[in-house]
Amino acid sequence: MPKYEITLEKATCDGIFACLTRDPRFVEDDDGLATIDPDADPVYDATGEESVRLEDGRIVATFDDDRLAETRQAAKACPVNAIDVQEVGE
């Protein structure tokens, strides 16, 4: 399975939440904008290998699972292009 990194630009996010309907790991944060929570999806068991961190105002998350297509759909649905998804290895 591919390892991939999601970058969510908090300053760009408008809180439209189109991403939430495509990938349930995207959730509303206390500030009214999107964030990433690997435990938010009750159907999916997080493996503990996930990494979610804040870097310079961006949420950066790394996953190694079979949900890359869902994450890409969430990024594509974002009308302000606040989400970037990159494969970073196998």
Side-chain angles (χ1 to χ4, degrees):
M1 272 184 265
K3 187 173 187 177
Y4 56 97
E5 187 172 85
I6 306 164
T7 304
L8 171 60
E9 297 284 346
K10 293 288 279 188
T12 305
C13 180
D14 271 352
I16 295 167
F17 302 125
C19 55
L20 275 64
T21 62
R22 273 64 174 198
D23 185 338
R25 293 175 292 188
F26 288 92
V27 296
E28 184 176 354
D29 204 353
D30 293 339
D31 60 6
L33 303 175
T35 191
I36 301 167
D37 180 355
D39 297 319
D41 183 355
V43 176
Y44 176 74
D45 290 325
T47 64
E49 301 296 318
E50 298 81 11
S51 165
V52 180
R53 61 196 183 279
L54 183 62
E55 284 183 6
D56 299 323
R58 297 184 307 250
I59 304 293
V60 181
T62 305
F63 292 94
D64 184 4
D65 59 30
D66 61 353
R67 300 179 71 178
L68 178 59
E70 288 176 49
T71 305
R72 285 188 171 147
Q73 288 176 356
K76 189 180 284 191
C78 180
V80 294
N81 296 316
I83 303 167
D84 182 56
V85 181
Q86 299 292 321
E87 287 190 50
V88 292
E90 285 290 323

